[in-house]
Amino acid sequence: MGLQNRAQTHSEKPTSAPCPCRLRRPSPRGSERAFGLQFQKMLRWRAVLLLPLPLPPPPRLLRRLPHPRALSSSSSSPLPPPGMEASYKFGPYKIDAREVFHATPVSYAMVNLRPLLPGHVLVCPKREVKRFAELSSDEISDLWVTAKEVGARLEQYHKASSLTFAIQDGPQAGQTVAHVHIHLIPRKKGDFEKNDEIYDAIDVKEKELKEKLDLDIERKDRTMDEMAQEANEYRALFS
């Protein structure tokens, strides 16, 4: 019986846990690789969190284009000189601002289309007035004060020694443009053989002025550029 029990004891082998030495351990290389991947993933997330948010693109500023009519008008007519109006009235005619070199609130002075002598200019009231008697007292005062100031500067500029102021008040007096204006002419010794001849010359120039304004043809004697250049020189005398 004892032998039998021993035999059974030896024949039935009890189940036991596997040997710890046989358990599969992770290789050192595999664990390092997994740790490295996890670390790289953490770094990527950290970089994403630290990056600033992209700014939206700035809004496009739309330039407001001028109206086509404004473009055409600005390209066709040059800007007036500083302090000058766009145009001036001389009777029924429109005078370009580039021809005007001095102006007050009620008077203006412009270069002449065909000057009789160097510095021959016209001083006019801004208001369209046919006869001298129709001017107000303020207009008369300002007109002559303007003529005095213009004359003094032009006499010095042209190294003249005298001045002629002339008004043709009405058609029978030789006025051809129905707008009061003073002929202002710097004078030098010997510019006319007989001094009174200048008044006949003024009559001739007055008629030529009206003919040119009426016909509105190309100015053969003086171009707009020449007149504008002279006006610029005179304008500098008042700055």
Side-chain angles (χ1 to χ4, degrees), residues 53-59:
L53 294 176
L55 297 175

Side-chain angles (χ1 to χ4, degrees), residues 2-65:
L3 293 173
Q4 222 173 1
N5 289 335
R6 262 184 214 175
Q8 288 179 355
T9 304
H10 286 288
S11 63
E12 295 179 2
K13 296 180 180 181
T15 59
S16 60
C19 179
C21 62
R22 295 183 180 180
L23 290 177
R24 187 178 181 182
R25 297 180 179 178
S27 65
R29 291 184 180 178
S31 61
E32 291 177 1
R33 184 178 179 186
F35 178 77
L37 291 175
Q38 187 68 17
F39 185 71
Q40 290 179 6
K41 188 175 181 181
M42 289 173 62
L43 288 179
R44 282 199 297 268
W45 275 107
R46 180 177 177 81
V48 170
L49 292 175
L50 292 177
L51 283 176
L53 294 176
L55 297 175
R60 295 183 62 185
L61 299 177
L62 299 178
R63 292 185 59 188
R64 186 176 180 180
L65 297 177

Side-chain angles (χ1 to χ4, degrees), residues 227-238:
M227 296 174 70
Q229 177 62 34
E230 182 185 20
N232 285 336
E233 294 174 4
Y234 295 164
R235 201 175 293 119
L237 302 177
F238 294 87

